[in-house]
Amino acid sequence: MTVATAALAIETTARSRQLSIRQTIAMAKRSTYEIARQPALIAPSMFFPIFFAVLSSSSFSRTTSIPGFPKVESFMQFTLASTIVQGVLFGSVTGAAALATDIEIGFFDRLLLAPTTRTGILLGRLAGSALFGFFQSAFFLAVLVPFHAPITAGIPGALVMVLSGGIVSLAIGAIMSSVAIRTGSAEAVQGAFPLLFVLLFFSSAFFPRETMSGAYKRIADINPISYLVEGLRALVLEGFTFSAVVRSLLVPTLICLAAILFALKELRRKLAAL
Amino acid sequence: MNTFASSSSDPIVAQNLVRYFGDVKAVDGINITVKTGEIFGFLGPNGAGKSTAVRMLTTLLRPTSGTATVAGFDVAKHPDEVRRRIGVALQDAAIDPLMTGTELLRLQAVLYGIPQAQMKNRASELLERVGLTAAADRRVGTYSGGMRRRLDLALALIHQPTVLFLDEPTTGLDPMSRMSLWEEVRRLNNEGTTVMLTTQYLEEADQLADRIAIIDAGKIVREGKPQDLKAGVGFPTLLITVPSDQTERAKAVLATFGDMRPTAEGSLGVGLRGGANVVTDVVRKLDEASVRVQHLEINEPSLDDVFAEATGHRLEGAKA
């Protein structure tokens, strides 16, 4: 290979990488538009968690004095982290269902017909979910913090929580996208959602693990959602400590990476089977 | 009008293309050569294998066996090179209803690597070309079926492809929208685009295609220019309707005038060896056999006759 052809190869690779990034951004933009243009679809994921937070705060306010319950200003403060996780669980299903709809209506084929990065098709869709996750997290904090739910870690802690919410959204979006890619059915994605909801209830989202016992505690101990919620909760209750920041970001990031790798594997499997 | 010089680099060449879905052989060893500048019609009923063949030629499906080159590149070995050179409007115009026409065209432009500076002009040009400028900023969900098809065509043209695949582009359209799409396809073809068109409409194939291939049960059963294929059928078809209890007597009479041809249920057809001149003789013989003719018509050979002759059945509900 001559110097000139090597330089041309490097330039071509750089151009192709640049184009892949441009394509992924364009698909992320589309995914965001879609979410924003379906208010009826996203409203439940915005308001149901708020409603649930208000309801549980008024119903369980006295549980904060149970032995093993952490020191909190109110049950609302305790439930702030679980509201974010609950909201992004709801929200990220919307993005995955949209991917399944793309497959159902043939729009996915249109994307495959173009000389695009296959990874970008998925990552663009997930980026839209992550952006929505950031937005949801910020919305929940803005609405709930004034109601006796202060974040001990302050504004930096709130920013980390928003970031973490986005990553959780990305992780759940990737898991649900795997279902979308495998089944190609929006109904199957929606049908898988109750499983996530069951996982949420069998976690430490609504009560600390220290107050649990028996099978419920054993499930919560191995339930990844417990660790997602507890990472965020550490920022609310403990403050802006190294441990709290790492816990709130590390667990979702690890789950996210595993979920994205799995979703990409599913995509490759689907494309190989064509 | 195009002239088709034989070339070693024909834009679409398929050789022994086979595709299985499980145990089902959807495409059974088809061979196609489409010449530069040609409109090639791929005609067949639902489930004949048209769309599967097109999906293989457009890189959406891998052939189980056989080879195909499109725009000079092997579809299995160099799919991205093929994708850069072809435009595809798939069946059902799969378009995101939440986006506007302009947004979709710009997304498509990015997917094909069209520089930002050219994107806006190209999108406007295409919207104007397909008559959607006024609806450009409306969400596609509000478009009529015809508007969606036209947008689909514009999307397929964003990167100025040399080969265009149209998979049943007019299915479900009203006659006006169908005619307008035909006009656009002719215009594109006159500008030099090679077009492969799949259709289940005989009239569409007859009107648009320079050459057609008829596919049935995954196999190509006839191929050629529509006029040659029709001439090959030879005699006109005499169609009659008689009371059901007189069918056998009528068949016996008709068989003396030519070979019986497949028809829609309830009528009988015969390829008249003596042409239209012998119709009066047929009627007289039927009368002598006490057959009461309820309806009679004589049709010049059509693509439906070609299809019927090749497959033993007619295209459902279609007439050329």
Side-chain angles (χ1 to χ4, degrees):
Chain A
M1 187 186 272
T2 65
V3 175
T5 52
L8 185 68
I10 291 168
E11 197 188 319
T12 309
T13 311
R15 258 196 220 147
S16 125
R17 192 170 299 143
Q18 225 173 21
L19 179 61
S20 297
I21 293 169
R22 202 174 147 222
Q23 289 171 339
T24 307
I25 291 171
M27 285 187 263
K29 222 164 130 182
R30 169 182 173 246
S31 167
T32 314
Y33 282 163
E34 271 195 338
I35 293 170
R37 287 174 186 177
Q38 298 184 89
L41 210 63
I42 61 167
S45 67
M46 302 297 291
F47 297 107
F48 187 70
I50 301 262
F51 169 75
F52 208 80
V54 172
L55 190 73
S56 58
S57 291
S58 62
S59 305
F60 304 133
S61 58
R62 290 173 67 187
T63 59
T64 55
S65 53
I66 292 173
F69 210 97
K71 192 172 168 349
V72 290
E73 192 174 314
S74 66
F75 192 85
M76 183 67 90
Q77 188 188 22
F78 178 79
T79 205
L80 194 56
S82 52
T83 304
I84 290 178
V85 172
Q86 192 187 343
V88 297
L89 282 185
F90 263 125
S92 35
V93 170
T94 310
L99 175 63
T101 304
D102 276 355
I103 297 171
E104 276 177 352
I105 67 168
F107 196 84
F108 191 73
D109 284 341
R110 181 183 293 287
L111 299 176
L112 293 182
L113 279 168
T116 49
T117 149
R118 274 41 193 154
T119 313
I121 295 175
L122 180 65
L123 294 185
R125 176 61 73 187
L126 291 177
S129 282
L131 278 176
F132 184 51
F134 293 139
F135 172 72
Q136 279 183 301
S137 307
F139 174 77
F140 294 137
L141 293 184
V143 172
L144 297 179
V145 164
F147 294 94
H148 304 289
I151 300 166
T152 312
I155 291 176
L159 292 176
V160 173
M161 287 178 81
V162 170
L163 179 64
S164 177
I167 298 171
V168 173
S169 184
L170 198 55
I172 306 298
I175 292 168
M176 298 310 277
S177 293
S178 302
V179 178
I181 294 165
R182 182 162 277 257
T183 63
S185 154
E187 281 171 9
V189 174
Q190 304 282 6
F193 176 69
L195 290 175
L196 286 177
F197 218 63
V198 169
L199 272 179
L200 183 75
F201 276 98
F202 280 96
S203 74
S204 56
F206 303 106
F207 292 101
R209 277 189 285 153
E210 291 75 13
T211 62
M212 298 174 187
S213 61
Y216 196 91
K217 182 172 189 316
R218 281 197 293 278
I219 295 171
D221 281 342
I222 56 165
N223 185 344
I225 292 185
S226 295
Y227 299 93
L228 290 176
V229 173
E230 286 167 15
L232 287 170
R233 189 172 284 150
L235 288 165
V236 179
L237 303 182
E238 291 170 20
F240 198 74
T241 64
F242 178 75
S243 148
V245 172
V246 168
R247 283 162 67 199
S248 65
L249 292 177
L250 188 66
V251 177
T253 303
L254 289 176
I255 295 175
C256 183
L257 287 175
I260 289 177
L261 287 176
F262 184 69
L264 287 173
K265 198 176 153 203
E266 279 297 308
L267 181 64
R268 273 194 289 273
R269 187 195 59 79
K270 184 183 178 70
L271 296 178
L274 289 176
Chain B
M1 200 63 200
N2 298 292
T3 52
F4 311 120
S6 182
S7 155
S8 58
S9 57
D10 292 318
I12 304 174
V13 180
Q15 289 174 322
N16 291 319
L17 215 52
V18 173
R19 174 69 197 206
Y20 276 94
F21 291 109
D23 294 334
V24 179
K25 206 175 195 177
V27 171
D28 189 359
I30 63 169
N31 294 293
I32 304 171
T33 301
V34 179
K35 309 277 185 204
T36 304
E38 196 173 24
I39 298 183
F40 187 83
F42 208 31
L43 177 69
N46 282 332
K50 304 185 296 289
S51 292
T52 303
V54 165
R55 288 175 81 82
M56 285 192 280
L57 294 173
T58 56
T59 78
L60 279 176
L61 275 180
R62 278 190 195 82
T64 307
S65 65
T67 58
T69 58
V70 173
F73 290 92
D74 188 300
V75 293
K77 291 180 187 152
H78 304 286
D80 264 354
E81 295 301 330
V82 173
R83 287 173 193 136
R84 281 192 189 96
R85 288 161 179 82
I86 62 170
V88 186
L90 286 175
Q91 219 173 334
D92 300 328
I95 299 177
D96 184 345
L98 294 169
M99 294 179 81
T100 67
T102 305
E103 284 168 353
L104 273 167
L105 276 164
R106 289 190 184 174
L107 172 67
Q108 189 86 345
V110 176
L111 298 183
Y112 281 88
I114 294 171
Q116 187 92 26
Q118 295 169 23
M119 218 159 73
K120 202 176 165 190
N121 282 347
R122 185 80 189 124
S124 305
E125 264 170 39
L126 284 169
L127 284 165
E128 199 178 323
R129 173 171 198 145
V130 296
L132 288 175
T133 305
D137 296 321
R138 264 171 48 197
R139 288 191 198 172
V140 173
T142 66
Y143 284 18
S144 68
M147 289 165 84
R148 279 169 183 248
R149 292 284 184 180
R150 280 185 279 145
L151 178 63
D152 196 18
L153 185 62
L155 290 166
L157 298 175
I158 193 88
H159 55 300
Q160 295 172 304
T162 53
V163 184
L164 182 64
F165 289 87
L166 301 173
D167 192 6
E168 306 209 8
T170 62
T171 300
L173 293 190
D174 60 77
M176 284 292 287
S177 304
R178 183 173 296 174
M179 300 283 263
S180 130
L181 209 92
W182 287 0
E183 277 307 306
E184 192 51 45
V185 172
R186 281 193 194 103
R187 195 144 63 105
L188 280 164
N189 180 242
N190 286 334
E191 289 166 9
T193 310
T194 303
V195 180
M196 180 161 180
L197 165 91
T198 78
T199 183
Q200 51 179 315
Y201 297 128
L202 297 159
E203 189 191 359
E204 190 159 276
D206 214 359
Q207 288 279 327
L208 284 178
D210 299 301
R211 267 188 327 124
I212 62 166
I214 295 176
I215 184 169
D216 189 50
K219 287 184 181 199
I220 291 181
V221 291
R222 286 287 183 279
E223 188 183 340
K225 292 181 178 175
Q227 59 271 33
D228 294 346
L229 292 173
K230 285 186 282 187
V233 175
F235 313 117
T237 303
L238 175 74
L239 288 173
I240 64 165
T241 310
V242 298
S244 54
D245 60 330
Q246 298 170 16
T247 305
E248 288 310 312
R249 286 208 303 275
K251 266 188 193 172
V253 171
L254 292 177
T256 63
F257 288 90
D259 295 330
M260 296 302 287
R261 286 185 174 164
T263 57
E265 208 179 310
S267 63
L268 298 169
V270 62
L272 283 182
R273 270 195 301 265
N277 296 336
V278 300
V279 173
T280 47
D281 297 340
V282 177
V283 174
R284 194 177 309 118
K285 289 284 181 192
L286 286 168
D287 190 44
E288 283 168 14
S290 302
V291 174
R292 188 164 59 85
V293 178
Q294 294 168 318
H295 175 82
L296 178 148
E297 66 181 72
I298 186 155
N299 294 325
E300 284 306 310
S302 66
L303 285 180
D304 200 16
D305 295 321
V306 178
F307 186 85
E309 192 211 39
T311 65
H313 53 271
R314 289 190 179 268
L315 267 171
E316 263 183 10
K319 276 194 165 193

